[in-house]
Amino acid sequence: MDNILRYGSVEAIPLYNCSGHTSQEWSELKGVKWPILGACQAAYGITIDILYLPILSIIFEKENFKMSCFKIMYLLGIIDFLITYVNSILTGWLAMKGAVYCTHPNIIYISGMVVCALWCSSCMTALLLVANRLLGMTKPSLAVKLFDGRKTYIALLFPILYFIYFLFTAPLIFNSKYLAWFYTPMIFDDDATEYFNHSHTVNNFLIVTLTCIVYTPFRWVIGTNLKNVKNASTSQLQNTKRQVFLQSTLICAANQVCATIYVVMNVTEVPNWIIIFAHFTWEFIHGAPVFIYLALNRMIRERFLEKMNMMKGGTFRETTSMMPINRSSGSAPVVIVN
C-alpha cells in the first residue's frame, strides 16, 4: 500500500517493474502451468467458502452473537473466507494459467498485499480467541471485565489495526513455478533481500508460537473441566478430551509448519515439494474450521443441517449429539478453532 501511494500505481514501483519482457515471455521464463492441480485448488476453495457462508450466518444469529467468543469467531470466519478466496480460488486460477507477478501485476500485488495482512490478522485473532476461552474458564470475572458486551469490539480493534499495519508492508507475490506466494516477484535475480518482509517474519515466529503456547494450559483446563461433568460416561469424557487435544494439536502443528516454512523458503532455497506442502498446509489452516465446526460443534451442526433442509423445503431434527458440558452463564462452546 505504501508503494502504491508513493508511486501512484503498481506498474510505477521500480522494484516491481516488468518492462524487461512481455507478459507471455515472463510466463515462459518464470512460470509453470498446473491445469489439474490448479483446478483442484479452486474447487476446494469454492467448496470451503460455500460451506462457510451458512456457518457465518449461524454465528451471527442474535442468541449466539451476544457471546464474546462468537464475535471473535465471526471475525475469524470472515478472515478465513477471504484468505481462502486468495490462497485457493485465485491461486488455483493463477496456477492454471502459469501466472507469475509480471503476467498479472495488479491482481497479484493487491491480492498479495491483502492476503499477507489477513494472515497476520488471523494469527492475532486466533490468539485473542484462545485467550478469551481460557479466561472464560479460569478467570470468569476477568473475562467479563475484558470481553463483556461491547468490550469485545474494543478487543477486536487489535487484529483490525494489525491488519491495517500489514497493508503497508511488503506484499506476498505468487509464482506458479513453485505454486506459492513469496516476498520477491522474481524479476531481478540479485535483489531478493530488497523485498524481505521483516514484520511478517516476526509475526510468524512470535504470534504463532505464542498462540501454541497458550493452547497448552487451554488443553489442561478443558481436561480439568470435563472431570466435573455430570451424567457423562468415562468413554464420553475420554472421547471429548481426545477431540479437543487432537483439534488444538493439529491446528498448532499446521500453523507452526506453515509459518516456519513460509519464512525459510524466502531466505534460502528449499525443495519444491516442501514449498507446495507449506502452501497446502496454509489452505488447510483456513479450510479446516468448516469441518471442525460441523464435526465438533453440536449447535452449529444442528443449525447448519436445519438450514440445508429448509432450502429443500423440509424439516430436520438431529438425534445424535456431542456430550453436553456444564459451563457458567455467558460462556461459549469449549471447542475452538483457528
Side-chain angles (χ1 to χ4, degrees):
M1 178 70 78
D2 185 51
N3 281 330
I4 295 177
L5 294 175
R6 184 183 305 172
Y7 295 103
S9 67
V10 171
E11 292 89 344
I13 304 172
L15 282 174
Y16 295 86
N17 190 312
C18 298
S19 59
H21 300 281
T22 65
S23 177
Q24 182 63 32
E25 287 172 342
W26 279 115
S27 182
E28 293 173 356
L29 285 170
K30 302 290 186 177
V32 173
K33 292 184 178 181
W34 302 80
I36 297 176
L37 195 55
C40 291
Q41 284 182 285
Y44 166 82
I46 291 170
T47 301
I48 292 298
D49 277 357
I50 288 175
L51 290 174
Y52 232 134
L53 287 174
I55 291 174
L56 286 172
S57 70
I58 293 166
I59 294 173
F60 193 65
E61 289 175 353
K62 185 176 180 180
E63 286 302 308
N64 299 326
F65 204 68
K66 67 182 180 182
M67 292 186 285
S68 61
C69 82
F70 276 93
K71 293 184 179 74
I72 302 172
M73 288 162 61
Y74 187 73
L75 176 62
L76 194 56
I78 292 175
I79 293 172
D80 284 338
F81 182 92
L82 295 174
I83 289 179
T84 298
Y85 173 78
V86 176
N87 76 1
S88 298
I89 301 175
L90 178 61
T91 295
W93 178 75
L94 292 171
M96 286 187 284
K97 296 179 72 67
V100 295
Y101 171 74
C102 287
T103 62
H104 301 78
N106 289 293
I107 292 175
I108 291 178
Y109 188 97
I110 294 173
S111 298
M113 177 180 67
V114 172
V115 81
C116 178
L118 285 170
W119 157 255
C120 295
S121 181
S122 76
C123 295
M124 176 67 76
T125 309
L127 178 60
L128 185 64
L129 180 57
V130 181
N132 172 270
R133 287 297 77 226
L134 189 59
L135 288 175
M137 289 180 286
T138 59
K139 302 288 184 180
S141 59
L142 179 58
V144 169
K145 290 180 181 179
L146 295 176
F147 295 102
D148 188 47
R150 296 188 176 182
K151 293 177 184 176
T152 308
Y153 296 117
I154 297 176
L156 290 176
L157 284 176
F158 288 97
I160 292 173
L161 292 174
Y162 204 58
F163 167 80
I164 294 173
Y165 166 77
F166 275 94
L167 285 177
F168 291 88
T169 64
L172 295 175
I173 302 296
F174 178 75
N175 186 283
S176 61
K177 180 179 180 180
Y178 303 98
L179 202 64
W181 296 72
F182 293 82
Y183 298 150
T184 172
M186 301 185 186
I187 300 172
F188 310 109
D189 295 333
D190 300 325
D191 292 331
T193 56
E194 297 289 336
Y195 304 95
F196 194 80
N197 190 328
H198 294 87
S199 297
H200 178 265
T201 301
V202 170
N203 171 85
N204 279 18
F205 283 127
L206 180 61
I207 302 299
V208 174
T209 300
L210 184 59
T211 301
C212 292
I213 291 173
V214 175
Y215 259 117
T216 301
F218 176 79
R219 288 194 292 259
W220 179 82
V221 170
I222 292 294
T224 302
N225 285 356
L226 287 173
K227 293 179 182 178
N228 300 322
V229 175
K230 298 179 180 179
N231 302 321
S233 67
T234 302
S235 61
Q236 284 180 312
L237 289 171
Q238 291 299 324
N239 184 55
T240 303
K241 288 171 68 174
R242 191 181 303 111
Q243 286 178 340
V244 173
F245 178 81
L246 289 175
Q247 176 189 330
S248 57
T249 301
L250 187 61
I251 288 170
C252 281
N255 273 334
Q256 286 285 37
V257 169
C258 179
T260 301
I261 294 177
Y262 253 84
V263 171
V264 171
M265 73 187 199
N266 276 283
V267 296
T268 187
E269 187 174 342
V270 298
N272 281 17
W273 71 267
I274 293 181
I275 297 173
I276 293 174
F277 173 75
H279 185 80
F280 287 166
T281 303
W282 185 26
E283 292 178 324
F284 165 78
I285 289 170
H286 300 286
V290 167
F291 304 109
I292 293 173
Y293 281 136
L294 295 178
L296 301 181
N297 192 304
R298 174 189 174 186
M299 182 278 296
I300 290 180
R301 182 173 65 251
E302 288 181 341
R303 290 289 297 119
F304 180 89
L305 292 174
E306 286 175 6
K307 284 179 176 289
M308 295 301 100
N309 212 55
M310 286 172 61
M311 292 175 63
K312 297 178 181 179
T315 58
F316 172 81
R317 185 177 184 84
E318 189 178 56
T319 56
T320 60
S321 66
M322 284 180 58
M323 176 190 66
I325 298 178
N326 292 341
R327 50 185 183 267
S328 59
S329 175
S331 66
V334 160
V335 178
I336 71 167
V337 299
N338 177 19

